Amino acid sequence: MVVVHLVCWVGVVNAETIADEAVRKKQLLNKEWLFTKDTSKAAWQKIGLPHCWNIADVMDDAPGYYRGAGWYKRILPTVEKGKKQFIYFDGANQETTVWINGKKTGYHAGGYTRFSFDITAALKESGSNEILVKVDNSYNPAIPPLTADFTFFGGLYRNVYLVSTDAVHIDMNNYASNGVYIKTPEVSKQKAVVEVQGSFVNETAETRKLQVETTVYDSTGKVVTRTLSKQTAQPHTTFDFHHKGLTISNPALWSPEHPALYTITTRLYNARTHEVLDEVHNTAGMRWFSFSADSGFYINGTPCKLIGASRHQDYEGMGNGVPAAIQVKDVEMIKSMGCNFLRVAHYPQDPVILETCDRLGLLASVEIPVVNTISTTDSFTNNCLQMQTEMIRQNFNHPSVVIWAYMNEVFLRPPFKDSTINKRAYDSSVTALARKLEALTRKEDPTRYTMIANHGDFRRYDTTQLTTIPMIVGWNLYNGWYNSVMEDFSAFMDKHHRELPGKPVIISEYGADADPRIRSFKPERFDKSVEYTTLFHQYYLCEMVKRPFVAGAAVWNLADFNSETREETMPHMNNKGLLTYNRIAKDPYYYYKAALVNTPFVKIASSYWWQRSGIADTDTATVCTQPLEVATNLTETELFINGKSLGKVAAVKNMCSWKAAFVNGDNIIRAVGVKEGVVCEDTLVVQFRVQPRSLQSPSVPFTQLNLQMGSRRTYLDEQTGEVWLPDQPYKPGAWGYTGGTIFNVKNGRQAYGTDKAISGTDNDPIYQTQQTGIEKYRLDAPKGNYLLTLHFAELQGENAVALPYNLDTSVQQPTFQNRIFDVAVNGKPILENLDIAAQYGRATAVVQAFRVTVTGNEGIELLFKAKSGQPILNALQLKKLN
Ligand code: GCB
């Protein structure tokens, strides 16, 4: 390589608008692909990109999903003679091999970074050119991630495009970056100094006289400054250029509030003819920033607490093959929540993500997917280094990026079960890998900070120096969720500050699961209720805000995401999202918005919870009183239900709460706040089913009752709109159980029923709790014909597993005890010798429905008779037929 030092001049600036990258031709190749998993069967199927082949199998009851090869082929567009042709992949998971006209032209390892190949030599000058691509998402011990709490969806799931250039062009062979790197070595309010560096290539057989020009345009397209260098380029040679000292006076600074962008264009000219041979545009932002161990993050000299979320890239019904517009919306949702930070976790994502961060003013941390564990091999190390280089070079110019990160909880799943691995040797391999990645990152980009995200085992990461090697320590903390109590979170942050006084800190993760179908008036850890998660976030945010040394925090996670191995209430999903899998806001999203935005904000927090049910306040009442919360940044708001004011209530931690009396049917809720004379309001229609307290109630005639045994939460079946209520001990005139205890897989410690998925149903929660040892169930139903449905599932046994990421392993599973029992209704046997485990299997939904007629005052009485072990009941539904 010939390194050329050139004299630059900063020219007189003229008004001029920015042209597109008109010289090189970029063609999107997302259509007309054929796909198959099995080339031998020739079952090619027409598809378009983005494409993901695991959409269905990650959601079914069978464990696992297809991890193997997928083949794609298509005919390439006609190529212009004499041009260079490069094929670009924005991402394919995870190993990709490319053949052009049967000739192998490239291989890439890694599922989340871009890659490109020069395919010119393999193309035919006439006739059609076929591209065949093999993508393979099999486990490969040399490629991170090896394990993780997310699904390794296979497919050609991002854009593919063909770029054709002149034989003299800006370097296309630099880790799929655009070959131009922008630095701002000096930025102040008065002046910004820009440096542009890159390479260009003369792939012709002739010597060429060339010019490289850098032009800086402001956001209106006006030229701010320009520089030019000249080079006589020998045949088949690559040249570096380095344009220094481009100065912008009184620059428009880039910040979360004012994300001013400049465009920097690099043009390569034929010096003789002034023909433009190649051209690349980059956006750039003028800003400076720093992290302090005592006072957090600063941008342009101003303190700025980084508050945001992490984002996974998958979406309901699409896996990882998500169109750009939907991805952009995710970033917009973070911004509109009032955040200024995005942790792009656990891997680099689609280019539109950081482009949108630049545009909206979100600061970003990006990382490679070294998650849970590492392989101690050279090939693994090399792949990590390659990914880190790709990530940095491909995203170098984004002003939004302030952190390059490279490890996440690498001591969570160490491979000690493999007896060939010695703990001490493993620890030192992790340290060595961290050192290599740190050194590489600092060399590649001395202008950003580095970070490793650790789980809450302080000593483990400290003794292995993972708290010393990076510039920022990230802690993923789940006190009050996976372990201990919320208050331990505050203690942990203080411990960091005390014991690692020189280290800036970011809470790189915190969160709790909220299954949007589950609600509770007595929220508790692990119940999966939205209410518990809202309390969790209120606590965490307030505690972080109190501590200036905490530079920032990212909620885990922006949206629910697929993690195929997870079980729990919504199998295969991680429900820590502030948004659902299809991006509907849950209450905590509105809590954050209320806490973070400055413009007046009033929102009925539980807008997702518009189908409700509850028991009437008294035996004769027609209403049911339940809490209702409004998220706001005003000091107080007023709530109206069906036109009646419930009064003004002061906000506590950005929430106002009332007890609202709901009537049967539609309830119109209106929340109103006023700030400086401006009225801000929100409305919601809640469909409420008032459940009579007494089944004989004349005021609310009985129609239907859905009960979950052993449960303290309500559950909405989103398909039927039926709400399942917690059960109760028998109350005369009403209903309830006699005998037995609430099933708890961990003997009363920290679990909520079982967290094992239940096969044969989508309504897992109604089967996951249970009354064990039940003797009798009585419903004082009035005269009539009924459909009585009993739901059972065997929850005990060695198959029941703890939450996959539960760090508390101290609790033991009870051993399986066989159970056989009979059930009779009003003296008539309806189920005999029911042996659920033997007849249906464990953790499987069993539904038994019966018609029951009540002729007088006898009601409905179920008797459970044990033949062996203890009888159980998981849920019960009673519907009045006539
Ligand atoms: C973590 C991991 C993340 C998981 C998350 C969870 O600490 O970094 O990948 O998804 O916890 O929800 O368990």
Side-chain angles (χ1 to χ4, degrees), residues 148-150 312 343 346 371-372 408-409 412 455 476 478 482 509 513 556 561 566 574 576 805:
D149 180 24
F150 60 93
H312 265 301
R343 178 179 174 210
H346 288 309
V371 182
N372 289 357
N408 184 78
E409 304 188 349
L412 191 71
H455 77 272
N476 298 347
Y478 289 92
Y482 289 125
E509 279 178 32
D513 286 57
W556 190 260
F561 59 92
R566 272 191 179 255
N574 184 316
K576 293 193 186 68
Y805 284 79

Side-chain angles (χ1 to χ4, degrees), residues 271-332:
R272 217 168 25 82
T273 61
H274 282 283
E275 181 197 359
V276 183
L277 300 172
D278 200 5
E279 179 177 82
V280 162
H281 297 310
N282 279 290
T283 45
M286 304 304 133
R287 83 299 183 246
W288 74 99
F289 61 88
S290 61
F291 284 89
S292 146
D294 288 320
S295 49
F297 179 71
Y298 291 78
I299 183 135
N300 304 331
T302 309
C304 166
K305 193 140 197 136
L306 298 173
I307 302 285
S310 297
R311 173 188 188 261
H312 265 301
Q313 64 187 0
D314 57 318
Y315 194 96
E316 185 174 36
M318 300 183 191
N320 276 352
V322 182
I326 293 180
Q327 309 217 43
V328 169
K329 209 174 140 217
D330 273 4
V331 186
E332 289 169 350

Side-chain angles (χ1 to χ4, degrees), residues 515-670:
D515 180 331
R517 304 166 302 174
I518 293 177
R519 297 282 166 172
S520 175
F521 303 122
K522 290 183 195 140
E524 60 197 279
R525 185 171 154 223
F526 285 157
D527 68 4
K528 300 276 188 152
S529 72
V530 179
E531 283 64 30
Y532 183 81
T533 300
T534 307
L535 291 173
F536 181 97
H537 285 290
Q538 283 179 299
Y539 181 82
Y540 269 63
L541 182 62
C542 293
E543 290 300 302
M544 285 180 297
V545 167
K546 276 186 212 160
R547 291 170 172 76
F549 67 86
V550 174
V555 173
W556 190 260
N557 193 283
L558 172 68
D560 290 351
F561 59 92
N562 194 277
S563 178
E564 197 275 339
T565 53
R566 272 191 179 255
E567 307 223 2
E568 309 158 70
T569 58
M570 200 184 277
H572 315 299
M573 295 302 301
N574 184 316
N575 283 129
K576 293 193 186 68
L578 300 175
L579 308 173
T580 62
Y581 202 17
N582 59 356
R583 279 36 174 190
I584 298 171
K586 303 181 198 170
D587 308 25
Y589 177 89
Y590 293 123
Y591 159 65
Y592 277 101
K593 186 158 182 170
L596 300 174
V597 298
N598 294 323
T599 46
F601 177 72
V602 172
K603 179 79 195 170
I604 298 161
S606 53
S607 58
Y608 192 93
W609 190 17
W610 58 271
Q611 288 161 292
R612 287 191 180 205
S613 179
I615 302 169
D617 291 349
T618 64
D619 279 358
T620 51
T622 54
V623 296
C624 168
T625 302
Q626 286 189 355
L628 212 150
E629 288 196 315
V630 167
T632 185
N633 54 6
L634 307 183
T635 48
E636 59 173 26
T637 57
E638 185 171 4
L639 192 79
F640 297 83
I641 179 163
N642 300 321
K644 187 172 161 259
S645 171
L646 298 186
K648 287 184 182 155
V649 160
V652 178
K653 291 190 185 167
N654 294 96
M655 289 283 192
C656 302
S657 338
W658 293 263
K659 290 215 178 320
F662 291 91
V663 295
N664 232 346
D666 284 357
N667 291 263
I668 298 166
I669 313 291
R670 194 160 74 94

Side-chain angles (χ1 to χ4, degrees), residues 122-397:
L123 294 171
K124 290 185 281 191
E125 291 208 337
S126 57
S128 60
N129 286 297
E130 189 194 64
I131 178 168
L132 174 69
V133 183
K134 178 187 174 197
V135 182
D136 195 327
N137 68 336
S138 305
Y139 173 79
N140 182 336
I143 307 176
L146 302 175
T147 83
D149 180 24
F150 60 93
T151 300
F152 308 142
F153 289 102
L156 213 45
Y157 74 93
R158 291 191 194 145
N159 289 341
V160 175
Y161 45 94
L162 189 68
V163 179
S164 73
T165 69
D166 193 274
V168 179
H169 56 87
I170 293 163
D171 193 9
M172 303 290 280
N173 189 21
N174 198 338
Y175 291 88
S177 73
N178 70 15
V180 175
Y181 302 94
I182 295 162
K183 287 186 191 157
T184 49
E186 207 189 311
V187 184
S188 67
K189 281 182 188 146
Q190 292 73 34
K191 176 175 145 187
V193 178
V194 179
E195 257 183 57
V196 180
Q197 233 173 317
S199 317
F200 57 92
V201 195
N202 174 11
E203 293 205 58
T204 68
E206 298 146 25
T207 300
R208 293 286 184 90
K209 281 197 184 326
L210 302 172
Q211 286 177 337
V212 188
E213 182 192 62
T214 295
T215 312
V216 179
Y217 301 87
D218 69 11
S219 60
T220 66
K222 217 173 94 197
V223 176
V224 179
T225 177
R226 164 179 288 160
T227 187
L228 185 79
S229 55
K230 295 179 185 168
Q231 176 65 43
T232 302
Q234 312 305 321
H236 301 294
T237 319
T238 301
F239 300 87
D240 289 351
F241 66 92
H242 194 168
H243 291 170
K244 293 186 182 171
L246 288 133
T247 304
I248 306 173
S249 313
N250 303 316
L253 296 179
W254 186 96
S255 70
E257 294 78 27
H258 302 288
L261 290 175
Y262 288 82
T263 299
I264 297 185
T265 299
T266 307
R267 286 197 187 95
L268 190 61
Y269 291 94
N270 178 325
R272 217 168 25 82
T273 61
H274 282 283
E275 181 197 359
V276 183
L277 300 172
D278 200 5
E279 179 177 82
V280 162
H281 297 310
N282 279 290
T283 45
M286 304 304 133
R287 83 299 183 246
W288 74 99
F289 61 88
S290 61
F291 284 89
S292 146
D294 288 320
S295 49
F297 179 71
Y298 291 78
I299 183 135
N300 304 331
T302 309
C304 166
K305 193 140 197 136
L306 298 173
I307 302 285
S310 297
R311 173 188 188 261
H312 265 301
Q313 64 187 0
D314 57 318
Y315 194 96
E316 185 174 36
M318 300 183 191
N320 276 352
V322 182
I326 293 180
Q327 309 217 43
V328 169
K329 209 174 140 217
D330 273 4
V331 186
E332 289 169 350
M333 293 286 283
I334 298 177
K335 179 75 183 180
S336 88
M337 188 171 115
C339 293
N340 55 16
F341 184 48
L342 171 64
R343 178 179 174 210
V344 183
H346 288 309
Y347 40 77
Q349 300 186 3
D350 193 280
V352 294
I353 297 299
L354 291 177
E355 281 163 26
T356 313
C357 287
D358 291 348
R359 183 167 55 78
L360 299 182
L362 285 162
L363 294 141
S365 164
V366 197
E367 65 203 48
I368 58 165
V370 183
V371 182
N372 289 357
T373 183
I374 67 161
S375 285
T376 55
T377 58
D378 287 347
S379 49
F380 184 86
T381 302
N382 292 338
N383 278 324
C384 293
L385 294 169
Q386 178 202 309
M387 281 182 194
Q388 188 77 354
T389 311
E390 288 170 338
M391 172 178 80
I392 296 172
R393 298 209 183 169
Q394 292 167 10
N395 300 300
F396 194 88
N397 298 334

